[in-house]
Amino acid sequence: ENSVLIMQLDSASDAGGSRPDCFTFTVELQKRPGKSFGVELSAAGNVCMVNAVLGPSLIKEWNQMMDQRGPKEHAIRQYDRLMVFNDEKPARGTDMVERLLKAQGAVTLIVQRPRRHMLRLARGRRPLGIQALTSGNSFLLITRINEGAFADHNASAPEEDRVKIPCRLVKVDGQSGSGSELLQFMEESQKIALDLEILIYD
């Protein structure tokens, strides 16, 4: 359910509730033989997330066009979600990756920009109680919550502040880093409460 796929689509791959809605926009591309989308992706749950935009590529060209002609906020950025492919919303992030790998001709994507949500985790001396994948170069993917500080937080927090699985954590007490570094920040902190920044897509 929460397996992660991180891959680079390059030239070799031609073949809730009271929360405000996330910003979405449309991207129109023409996938031709020999041209790549040029994105590194991470897929977990129902989200196919952009780790990085690579160039030269179709998406790099799109971003340059948006920077020059606008609207600039329609350039695809790190952490954006590739949500809809040619009017179809894949159920899983890995399904979106498969569609991109097989794409030819006109491609219309709807892209969703996540909200960055701050929450305070009252840790005390409790273990974190999470299982996580640390392979992300700029985020920690929390895949399971067991007994510990995160479970205690979810039991008492309002709906909008609960940590839902899978969860992408991008900052701990204002510090960015790789997945392993973010986990280390939390495990080694002597503070009784941690300020966490997570990405919200729906």
Side-chain angles (χ1 to χ4, degrees):
E1 170 93 12
N2 295 319
S3 63
V4 169
L5 171 66
I6 296 180
M7 67 185 306
Q8 178 175 314
L9 295 180
D10 55 22
S11 57
S13 64
D14 272 328
S18 60
R19 296 171 174 171
D21 291 336
C22 295
F23 173 64
T24 60
F25 58 97
T26 300
V27 174
E28 295 183 347
L29 305 169
Q30 190 71 29
K31 180 66 170 62
R32 299 181 300 275
K35 294 290 288 186
S36 66
F37 286 108
V39 281
E40 181 184 284
L41 300 172
S42 171
N46 66 350
V47 172
C48 178
M49 186 190 80
V50 175
N51 287 332
V53 176
L54 312 171
S57 66
L58 291 172
I59 290 179
K60 188 79 168 182
E61 292 170 4
W62 169 269
N63 284 355
Q64 290 170 344
M65 184 172 65
M66 293 301 103
D67 287 340
Q68 293 167 4
R69 306 178 192 173
K72 291 188 176 182
E73 61 268 23
H74 287 194
I76 294 178
R77 305 172 185 170
Q78 184 185 44
Y79 302 135
D80 282 354
R81 173 191 183 185
L82 306 185
M83 185 171 67
V84 177
F85 178 93
N86 286 352
D87 297 325
E88 180 184 2
K89 185 177 180 180
R92 297 171 58 85
T94 51
D95 295 337
M96 173 63 80
V97 173
E98 290 177 6
R99 283 159 177 74
L100 291 169
L101 287 170
K102 297 175 182 178
Q104 293 295 335
V107 172
T108 300
L109 300 173
I110 295 179
V111 180
Q112 184 183 60
R113 183 149 298 145
R115 289 186 300 103
R116 292 171 175 258
H117 184 69
M118 298 294 302
L119 59 88
R120 175 157 290 189
L121 178 75
R123 181 179 181 184
R125 298 303 171 199
R126 295 275 281 159
L128 295 173
I130 58 172
Q131 293 179 20
L133 295 174
T134 60
S135 54
N137 59 9
S138 61
F139 69 97
L140 176 70
L141 184 74
I142 300 173
T143 59
R144 184 175 181 138
I145 296 176
N146 302 313
E147 183 179 349
F150 275 83
D152 293 347
H153 169 85
N154 279 355
S156 60
E159 175 69 21
E160 62 270 18
D161 282 341
R162 292 176 191 162
V163 177
K164 297 178 176 61
I165 299 302
C167 173
R168 294 159 181 83
L169 172 68
V170 293
K171 286 187 180 180
V172 176
D173 286 335
Q175 297 183 89
S176 303
S178 66
S180 58
E181 288 170 337
L182 291 167
L183 182 59
Q184 185 177 8
F185 293 157
M186 290 193 291
E187 290 178 334
E188 296 183 354
S189 175
Q190 299 301 307
K191 297 174 64 176
I192 62 172
L194 301 171
D195 291 321
L196 308 181
E197 184 174 322
I198 63 174
L199 304 178
I200 303 292
Y201 289 93
D202 292 310

